[in-house]
Amino acid sequence: MKKIILILSCFSILLVNCKSDVKSDAKPNVTSNVIPNQKSDTKPVSKPMATSDVLTGTWKVTDYDSQLQGIPDNVLQSAKNKTLTSSYTFNDDGTFILRSASVPNGNTGNYSYSKEANILELNYFVSGKQTKVIYQLEEVNATTTKWIQDMNQIGKIFITLKKQ
């Protein structure tokens, strides 16, 4: 049960449009973590490293795949369904909005993009908890970007987005 709770907390970016009664006692990890007891009016701690003109704009999730071990199929399918309703709007000033079908007004936060390392870091709040998610960008061009989220021992998540 604790493993499933840990997995669900790691899916915070994917499940951002769900309100959950599940609480995680898991320690934060590098790729995705929720920092408990943060107030929603607190600003994310990360400052933008550098923004990229290629990321600026609105991106719609068009494909989702995962290679995750130990996660029930119904949880994986739910994460996929929710993720496929998501879009990200990246602004020149290092801010972004993550919208989905169940959170149409979106969650706002800051992002940083390291072009040299192809790393995208998102910092935002979900239900009053600060969330940090790191993606390796496999591909970035004017129309398509492919993100990989390393979930450590659990596996990886692959997301493809198309510019709107």
Side-chain angles (χ1 to χ4, degrees):
M1 183 66 179
K2 284 187 177 184
K3 186 175 182 178
I4 290 174
I5 292 172
L6 173 62
I7 301 303
L8 290 175
S9 67
C10 291
F11 275 22
S12 61
I13 185 80
L14 304 174
L15 301 176
V16 69
N17 45 17
C18 287
K19 289 192 178 182
S20 175
D21 294 330
V22 177
K23 297 194 184 210
S24 173
D25 294 327
K27 302 278 187 221
N29 66 38
V30 173
T31 33
S32 176
N33 60 51
V34 175
I35 302 169
N37 301 322
Q38 292 286 322
K39 298 190 187 238
S40 61
D41 58 352
T42 307
K43 293 187 178 182
V45 291
S46 181
K47 302 270 192 231
M49 288 185 286
T51 59
S52 172
D53 290 337
V54 74
L55 284 179
T56 302
T58 299
W59 297 83
K60 170 82 175 108
V61 175
T62 58
D63 192 31
Y64 170 94
D65 191 23
S66 63
Q67 296 174 352
L68 301 174
Q69 301 173 4
I71 310 297
D73 289 342
N74 64 326
V75 174
L76 292 173
Q77 188 61 47
S78 177
K80 179 177 183 171
N81 293 343
K82 290 173 193 340
T83 302
L84 288 171
T85 71
S86 300
S87 68
Y88 297 77
T89 300
F90 295 100
N91 302 308
D92 286 332
D93 64 357
T95 62
F96 78 98
I97 302 172
L98 168 56
R99 293 182 177 92
S100 64
S102 60
V103 186
N105 293 332
N107 289 307
T108 60
N110 293 323
Y111 75 95
S112 58
Y113 172 63
S114 170
K115 190 173 183 178
E116 296 77 28
N118 266 349
I119 299 291
L120 175 64
E121 180 179 309
L122 306 177
N123 291 282
Y124 60 103
F125 286 90
V126 177
S127 300
K129 295 180 181 165
Q130 187 167 349
T131 302
K132 174 181 177 179
V133 182
I134 298 174
Y135 292 102
Q136 177 74 45
L137 276 59
E138 181 180 61
E139 178 182 336
V140 183
N141 62 50
T143 61
T144 304
T145 182
K146 294 183 179 183
W147 301 351
I148 301 170
Q149 184 180 12
D150 187 349
M151 304 295 284
N152 297 321
Q153 299 89 357
I154 299 165
K156 294 183 179 184
I157 296 171
F158 304 89
I159 301 172
T160 301
L161 300 95
K162 298 284 183 189
K163 196 159 197 178
Q164 301 297 292

